[in-house]
Amino acid sequence: MYKGSTHQHKDKPIMRMSAAQLDNLLSALSVDFVRLTECLVSPGWRINLGGTSAPSIHYNLSGYGRMVIEGHPAIELSPHTLVITPPNQHFHIEMPSENSENKVIKELEGRWESFSPDVIQRFVAGDVPELMLICGYFQASYGASLNLFSTLNTPIVEQFDTTQHIDHTLGLVLQELMDQEVGTGAMTAALLKMVLIALLRRSLTSINLWVERFSLLGDAYIARAFSHMAAQPGAPHTVNSLARTACLSRSSFMARFTKVIGMPPMTVLRGLRMRQAASMLNAKELSIDQIAYSVGYTSRSSFLRAFHNAYGNYPTDYRAISRA
């Protein structure tokens, strides 16, 4: 296992937030696929990947090998190892050959390949693949601008087993993309979210250091306030009320929230509200005034201005374009 990714606590696992808070966070999380790749590696081969602006998730279905990310120790891959790599980092997946003094002698370049997001890309390195992974680039976000993995600068590594059924879930993703039925985009996003939920559940009990490096999970006070915002963006939140939820003074809450999230709380709240408004414009036959009120605005003009700033269109135009 990747030696730099674990930090043993003698008494008990790290506890970052309550199960209810994590449930709120997961319920409000939006997940979208950027693209999906199968990586099949033969002994003595490596595949060069990465460099995209999106984080990537890798699940090893079978075989033994390693992943090497620039600037980090090698990650040993065994069946059911799950790795999330930070955005904008190059890496390679390799399977050393036992017959060549444990070396890699051939490589396949996959970093500069371009393909449609709704098409499965397959990289086959060598004639007899033994190491087989499903790799997906994705976005996981709250609101228009807050990406859950934006502050991640080190890989996440967790070892699963067959009882979590992640291999089955990702197999369904592959099948969805091959079948291209109506609703493929929504189904693949939902399936990927299931995989991320399995990973993030580990944050409640994991002894691995990635929990501490995951800023939103690493500060239980801010996570408490943020989960409250994400679960009910239309509620009458204020800096003072959120500070009370976090059990912090106003000044301490403002400073810690901005440090952890990267934006002030009211900016984040506005993004959450605009995302909910966009979803309601697409899904429900509510009037603009009803939607504005539902997402926490008592002023129609303030809502219209905020929505236009977030999406570049006013709500009526946004609804018309979405339906067209």
Side-chain angles (χ1 to χ4, degrees):
M1 179 58 70
Y2 172 46
K3 301 299 183 183
S5 68
T6 58
H7 177 67
Q8 300 293 332
H9 290 252
K10 295 180 180 179
D11 297 326
K12 60 181 180 180
I14 302 167
M15 294 295 290
R16 291 301 172 197
M17 66 176 72
S18 70
Q21 291 162 13
L22 183 60
D23 189 58
N24 287 342
L25 289 177
L26 295 175
S27 296
L29 183 66
S30 292
V31 178
D32 296 296
F33 258 124
V34 178
R35 64 189 190 207
L36 193 69
T37 304
E38 281 187 292
C39 294
L40 310 178
V41 189
S42 300
W45 281 80
R46 75 160 54 105
I47 302 175
N48 297 320
L49 297 167
T52 68
S53 59
S56 58
I57 186 169
H58 310 268
Y59 189 79
N60 186 26
L61 297 173
S62 64
Y64 295 83
R66 61 187 176 219
M67 176 183 290
V68 181
I69 303 172
E70 290 183 349
H72 302 283
I75 300 169
E76 298 298 324
L77 300 175
S78 59
H80 309 294
T81 300
L82 186 147
V83 182
I84 290 186
T85 64
N88 301 310
Q89 288 196 346
H90 290 101
F91 58 91
H92 62 258
I93 299 168
E94 63 185 27
M95 185 176 183
S97 174
E98 295 181 359
N99 298 327
S100 301
E101 297 181 355
N102 208 33
K103 293 181 179 179
V104 173
I105 56 178
K106 296 181 181 179
E107 63 182 15
L108 177 66
E109 185 57 63
R111 292 175 181 172
W112 320 121
E113 295 284 339
S114 61
F115 51 93
S116 172
D118 57 354
V119 174
I120 301 170
Q121 179 74 6
R122 175 174 289 175
F123 292 113
V124 182
D127 298 327
V128 189
E130 295 181 16
L131 180 64
M132 302 181 183
L133 295 93
I134 296 179
C135 306
Y137 295 90
F138 68 96
Q139 296 288 359
S141 61
Y142 297 97
S145 60
L146 180 56
N147 192 304
L148 182 61
F149 292 85
S150 61
T151 60
L152 188 69
N153 54 22
T154 56
I156 295 172
V157 184
E158 285 286 338
Q159 186 64 41
F160 289 87
D161 56 41
T162 55
T163 61
Q164 281 84 24
H165 305 295
I166 293 178
D167 50 349
H168 176 68
T169 302
L170 289 173
L172 291 175
V173 173
L174 289 173
Q175 191 63 50
E176 277 289 328
L177 290 174
M178 286 188 290
D179 293 343
Q180 286 297 302
E181 299 285 349
V182 174
T184 289
M187 180 63 78
T188 54
L191 290 168
L192 177 60
K193 186 172 181 178
M194 290 173 61
V195 177
L196 291 180
I197 287 173
L199 172 67
L200 293 172
R201 278 176 175 169
R202 292 286 182 95
S203 69
L204 296 176
T205 56
S206 179
I207 60 175
N208 286 354
L209 193 60
W210 69 262
V211 178
E212 294 179 329
R213 291 171 179 162
F214 216 142
S215 59
L216 185 55
L217 303 182
D219 191 319
Y221 297 95
I222 298 306
R224 184 183 300 123
F226 182 83
S227 68
H228 192 53
M229 293 166 59
Q232 302 177 29
H237 302 294
T238 66
V239 173
N240 288 335
S241 69
L242 291 169
R244 288 193 297 270
T245 299
C247 300
L248 296 170
S249 69
R250 177 189 171 96
S251 59
S252 179
F253 170 73
M254 283 289 292
R256 287 173 65 162
F257 189 99
T258 304
K259 180 180 179 180
V260 168
I261 305 297
M263 292 177 282
M266 291 299 102
T267 300
V268 173
L269 179 61
R270 184 166 57 249
L272 293 170
R273 286 174 168 175
M274 292 305 100
R275 187 190 69 171
Q276 184 180 25
S279 178
M280 295 174 74
L281 286 165
N282 287 329
K284 298 181 179 180
E285 294 293 337
L286 296 177
S287 69
I288 303 302
D289 288 337
Q290 288 173 318
I291 292 175
Y293 181 77
S294 295
V295 298
Y297 283 81
T298 57
S299 167
R300 177 187 174 93
S301 60
S302 295
F303 170 70
L304 295 178
R305 183 166 57 252
F307 193 90
H308 186 272
N309 289 339
Y311 289 97
N313 288 296
Y314 290 105
T316 302
D317 298 330
Y318 179 91
R319 172 178 272 170
I321 292 170
S322 298
R323 292 181 176 180

